[in-house]
Amino acid sequence: MNAQLSPQLQDNLVEIQDLKKWFPVQKSFLDQLLAGRKDFVRAVDGVSFNIRRGEAFGLAGESGSGKTTIGRLAIGLETPTEGKVLFDGIDLGRQNERELRHLRRRMQVIFQDPMASLNPRMTLGDSVVQGLKIHYPEAAEKHRDTLLDIFERVGLSPARYFINKYPHQISGGQRQRVVIARALITRPDLVLADEPIAMADVSVRALLLELMVQLKQEFNLTYLFITHDLATAKYICDRIGILYLGRMAEIGDLKEVYSHPLHPYTQALMAAVPVPDPHKRRTQTMPAGEIPNPINPPSGCRFHPRCPIAQEICSQVEPELRELRPGHQAACHFAEQFL
Amino acid sequence: MNDTTPPLVQIRDLSVTYKTRLGDTSAVDKVSFDIRRGEILGLVGESGCGKSTLGKALLRMIMPPGRISAGQILFNGEDILTFDDKRLRDYRGRQASMIFQDPMTSLNPVQTVEQHLTEAIQVHDAGAESQSMARRIQALIERLGIMQSRLASYPHQLSGGMRQRVMIGLGLVLNAGLIIADEATTSLDVIVEAKLVDQLREIRDEYGVTILAITHNIALVAEMADRVAVMYAGNLVELGEVNRIFDRPLHPYTQGLLASVPTTEINERKELYKMPGEPPNLARPPSGCRFHPRCPVAMPICSRYRPGLNEAAPGHWVHCWLYQDHPEKEEKTLKVAA
């Protein structure tokens, strides 16, 4: 690791500043002429937050909230339309391809579907060692030892047995462990985990969660944990950001946000999570409608058409994130009433 | 629930077998239970436990290489396994219908919502007049909260929640008595899912339909079901009233499952239960009780004999040697470590 980028100097591993990502909508030339403008899907529309070194930061939201796009932007897989991403103080937007590749050994990804992220024709060992071959070709003689070590660490033991298997020969839970091993073999600082255990069954999920928590400590990792499942996030994240339609609705320490949700959207989201106790059935009614079209998001606060406490100002002025409790910000004009 | 009315569906020793390269796989293995009239029965289990296969068997939709290899399914007292093609077509749709997980693949992309609904009526009720049909559709979409203007929409123009409501509409338009919802809300966002759950409950209350809700999400079952059936590796392991199952689960698998469900409750500092192992390969299921290799309280007998489904308390059935006797049960040898 570079001396000038030592952990003491940078408290935040990732800084995301006013990030925007607009995807152009595919239309025929004629349609564009007639419309007289270009339409954009505003997947991410002005989001700022920091990920502290060593924490697990959760990004939660429904489909279309922009959580996956932010994840991809955060590790430089997409270039932002506006705003910037600083990784360990380095502006990803100012790096060329070679420098980016060099940085990428320090940021790795775990995707949702392990079957889709493993090559069915490669042995598990070949799949996992790939990252080392690309990023550390000079240390080729050590690769095999590192490989065996990482397999053992993610619980695929005996490693010698597993490295020669193919993805279809192992179970779903084991495949997810392989994907985790592949992400960790380059010893990254940041791991982007995009719904990493959403496909796993409940009985397998708890073990995978524990593994992720344990590996985070062992390898001094920082997680950006993307999920639609607030219940799972509780077991891994230190802080959480709730996204709605490309904007941050609420952000803060997870315990804080879960026990005192200040944004009406977060409140609805929390109430909607089914509770495994038939004596505590939900009685609240859910907000009307569904998440609107990100091409033409509602004016003002994006949640106002569905919000139970919306007033006139909400359709006109977009609320900014305000710190309402220590370490806990919400973007709502009327959040004070929930304090 | 009045116990004197006969149950709507009686499943008796049902087995479904798939032919695979590794030999016959018993996806559903001698399962017996009833579905009561007007109840919401939640059928839960993990992937591969046979819950979807069971749901399909109820509509006789098992396709080769699978087949219903043994047992009976009585619907209103009639064995649907003996139905001929005509009778079967009538049964599917008019008496029982199914809502699948992914409405996008179950709806026809080149048909509007209205065409879907009219077609469903015409296929099963050829004599229906267009006016009465329009009235029926009208009443139904109003009930489901689908806007009038949406009738002319194609599936891709609808949101996920709306598509799923159209699927429910297709199930209801023929007044089917039994609706099998197979992971019907799984692909939806939580808020949309919660609304759909409310709607399913209301529909049950209003139309008196019986709903078999098949899901992997045990919390969702707590939210909506009257009774719960738990499946593991092709076996029905526990069945009972929802409050009983959640308050006092008897089967070690159910106990483990409930203890491993994550919640958003912040004061609850209890750790999730980490169930050892993974569900077995059904081509070579474990001997005896199929859960014994993962069971923290397994006894020697568990690997030798298959337990029956026993009524351990009134209305509470469990498939476990802990709650039934056997001459060899007391034989002590080794205890499997947790």
Side-chain angles (χ1 to χ4, degrees):
Chain A
M1 194 179 289
N2 280 336
Q4 76 267 27
L5 301 170
S6 63
Q8 289 77 15
L9 294 179
Q10 289 289 335
D11 194 29
N12 293 322
L13 182 62
V14 181
E15 290 179 26
I16 287 180
Q17 298 171 353
D18 200 26
L19 201 62
K20 288 186 183 169
K21 181 70 187 178
W22 294 12
F23 295 102
V25 177
Q26 293 285 339
K27 276 204 282 192
S28 73
F29 180 65
L30 187 66
D31 282 349
Q32 267 184 42
L33 263 185
L34 290 176
R37 65 192 158 95
K38 260 189 108 138
D39 279 339
F40 291 92
V41 172
R42 304 183 187 188
V44 180
D45 207 14
V47 167
S48 306
F49 63 92
N50 298 327
I51 305 175
R52 296 177 196 147
R53 202 178 289 276
E55 79 173 347
F57 184 87
L59 265 185
E62 298 177 276
S63 28
S65 62
K67 55 189 190 302
T68 294
T69 308
I70 294 179
R72 296 174 62 88
L73 288 162
I75 60 167
L77 288 178
E78 300 267 6
T79 40
T81 310
E82 263 176 51
K84 53 181 167 177
V85 177
L86 302 182
F87 176 80
D88 212 349
I90 306 163
D91 184 348
L92 291 188
R94 289 165 171 271
Q95 307 297 304
N96 63 30
E97 208 27 63
R98 206 180 57 81
E99 291 164 319
L100 262 184
R101 194 168 326 135
H102 190 73
L103 276 175
R104 282 211 178 101
R105 65 169 82 159
R106 300 179 53 199
M107 28 182 150
Q108 291 288 324
V109 202
I110 302 169
F111 290 109
Q112 175 172 8
D113 184 353
M115 199 59 189
S117 29
L118 291 171
N119 186 336
R121 305 230 223 169
M122 270 165 104
T123 62
L124 304 176
D126 285 344
S127 279
V128 172
V129 86
Q130 204 55 239
L132 277 188
K133 284 191 178 160
I134 291 167
H135 292 298
Y136 300 97
E138 66 282 359
E141 75 284 359
K142 288 193 200 143
H143 286 175
R144 193 177 153 82
D145 289 342
T146 320
L147 178 67
L148 291 173
D149 176 59
I150 199 86
F151 265 71
E152 296 283 350
R153 296 244 213 156
V154 298
L156 293 170
S157 184
R160 275 169 213 287
Y161 167 81
F162 279 102
I163 55 170
N164 294 316
K165 292 274 165 198
Y166 287 89
H168 73 269
Q169 295 173 310
I170 58 173
S171 72
Q174 288 170 336
R175 278 198 283 269
Q176 200 54 275
R177 287 168 190 261
V178 174
V179 177
I180 294 174
R182 183 175 60 183
L184 298 189
I185 198 165
T186 62
R187 296 299 178 112
D189 297 321
L190 175 71
V191 173
L192 164 65
D194 193 349
E195 307 268 13
I197 55 164
M199 309 261 298
D201 276 316
V202 207
S203 73
V204 179
R205 217 178 258 196
L207 274 172
L208 284 173
L209 270 178
E210 189 196 34
L211 178 72
M212 287 192 66
V213 172
Q214 176 202 328
L215 290 171
K216 174 170 168 276
Q217 272 158 7
E218 251 176 67
F219 289 81
N220 285 321
L221 300 171
T222 303
Y223 282 148
L224 174 54
F225 189 87
I226 292 173
T227 184
H228 69 278
D229 180 0
L230 294 181
T232 304
K234 186 186 102 181
Y235 295 87
I236 196 159
C237 299
D238 305 308
R239 288 196 307 141
I240 193 155
I242 309 285
L243 288 166
Y244 183 74
L245 213 59
R247 297 275 296 182
M248 195 69 88
E250 186 156 2
I251 185 168
D253 289 341
L254 183 132
K255 279 185 202 158
E256 199 13 74
V257 173
Y258 278 27
S259 43
H260 304 280
L262 294 175
H263 197 288
Y265 175 63
T266 315
Q267 291 167 356
L269 211 53
M270 295 286 295
V273 178
V275 182
D277 181 352
H279 303 293
K280 293 189 197 158
R281 285 192 177 172
R282 173 176 49 81
T283 46
Q284 301 97 309
T285 46
M286 287 287 109
E290 292 183 24
I291 207 164
N293 188 336
I295 296 176
N296 277 314
S299 61
C301 170
R302 291 173 184 212
F303 189 58
H304 86 262
R306 305 172 69 191
C307 182
I309 60 161
Q311 304 202 12
E312 219 179 318
I313 184 177
C314 300
S315 61
Q316 292 153 4
V317 183
E318 178 140 29
E320 291 300 321
L321 278 173
R322 293 179 294 144
E323 180 151 348
L324 295 163
R325 290 167 64 98
H328 183 174
Q329 298 172 291
C332 172
H333 293 300
F334 300 104
E336 271 82 1
Q337 61 180 281
F338 302 115
L339 284 174
Chain B
M1 184 66 50
N2 188 353
D3 275 333
T4 56
T5 52
L8 181 67
V9 184
Q10 291 162 286
I11 299 163
R12 292 291 170 263
D13 289 318
L14 184 74
S15 293
V16 180
T17 321
Y18 287 94
K19 255 195 177 34
T20 68
R21 278 185 302 134
L22 301 169
D24 282 357
T25 301
S26 55
V28 173
D29 182 45
K30 300 189 204 98
V31 167
S32 303
F33 67 96
D34 292 346
I35 304 174
R36 297 177 186 161
R37 243 167 256 277
E39 77 171 341
I40 299 181
L41 177 63
L43 180 59
V44 285
E46 300 178 89
S47 34
C49 73
K51 56 188 191 302
S52 289
T53 303
L54 183 71
K56 281 189 195 150
L58 288 179
L59 284 180
R60 263 182 69 188
M61 292 200 307
I62 304 290
M63 294 293 163
R67 66 193 176 89
I68 296 175
S69 47
Q72 281 186 316
I73 300 169
L74 304 177
F75 186 92
N76 267 333
E78 288 179 277
D79 188 352
I80 68 159
L81 301 183
T82 63
F83 287 176
D84 60 20
D85 284 357
K86 187 174 168 302
R87 183 74 188 79
L88 187 63
R89 194 160 55 233
D90 201 50
Y91 164 71
R92 294 177 182 157
R94 267 170 172 269
Q95 293 181 304
S97 71
M98 194 148 182
I99 307 170
F100 294 97
Q101 171 169 2
D102 183 1
M104 202 57 196
T105 54
S106 333
L107 294 171
N108 186 338
V110 295
Q111 275 192 346
T112 63
V113 172
E114 188 167 21
Q115 283 167 342
H116 274 101
L117 292 166
T118 15
E119 189 185 67
I121 301 179
Q122 279 168 343
V123 166
H124 292 280
D125 190 359
E129 288 170 45
S130 58
Q131 273 189 347
S132 78
M133 225 153 49
R135 268 202 307 276
R136 250 156 94 181
I137 292 175
Q138 194 58 45
L140 188 67
I141 62 163
E142 258 169 45
R143 178 65 202 81
L144 291 174
I146 303 172
M147 276 171 291
Q148 177 73 33
S149 59
R150 283 305 190 189
L151 277 181
S153 301
Y154 291 91
H156 76 269
Q157 296 170 314
L158 304 174
S159 66
M162 200 62 87
R163 275 181 219 138
Q164 208 52 290
R165 270 182 257 168
V166 172
M167 283 302 293
I168 297 177
L170 284 174
L172 286 175
V173 73
L174 294 160
N175 302 321
L178 173 68
I179 293 185
I180 301 166
D182 187 359
E183 303 277 9
T185 62
T186 301
S187 58
L188 303 173
D189 282 316
V190 273
I191 292 182
V192 185
E193 177 178 63
K195 282 199 275 193
L196 208 67
V197 165
D198 288 348
Q199 208 152 34
L200 281 173
R201 262 198 310 232
E202 286 163 23
I203 283 165
R204 190 277 305 270
D205 295 346
E206 247 169 77
Y207 296 77
V209 294
T210 305
I211 299 175
L212 177 67
I214 301 175
T215 179
H216 70 284
N217 188 344
I218 196 148
L220 203 63
V221 163
E223 203 72 56
M224 73 185 295
D226 304 315
R227 289 199 305 151
V228 181
V230 183
M231 281 187 79
Y232 180 78
N235 292 142
L236 180 73
V237 296
E238 190 158 2
L239 171 71
E241 304 291 333
V242 67
N243 288 336
R244 260 204 81 98
I245 297 278
F246 281 84
D247 293 345
R248 238 177 308 158
L250 294 178
H251 198 285
Y253 175 67
T254 317
Q255 291 167 354
L257 201 60
L258 289 177
S260 55
V261 180
T263 65
T264 52
E265 206 86 24
I266 251 350
N267 337 347
E268 235 167 90
R269 284 284 7 129
K270 69 172 188 238
E271 290 258 316
L272 290 182
Y273 172 67
K274 292 157 206 93
M275 202 182 288
E278 295 194 23
N281 177 350
L282 291 183
R284 286 182 234 94
S287 60
C289 168
R290 289 181 174 188
F291 185 61
H292 86 260
R294 301 177 76 187
C295 184
V297 291
M299 302 173 287
I301 188 176
C302 300
S303 57
R304 258 183 265 150
Y305 301 104
R306 181 185 196 271
L309 188 69
N310 221 27
E311 191 165 13
H316 191 165
W317 300 74
V318 60
H319 172 91
C320 177
W321 280 121
L322 288 176
Y323 310 98
Q324 45 197 288
D325 280 326
H326 189 276
E328 292 173 43
K329 184 177 165 180
E330 296 310 319
E331 217 173 277
K332 285 190 185 67
T333 36
L334 69 163
K335 186 155 170 84
V336 176

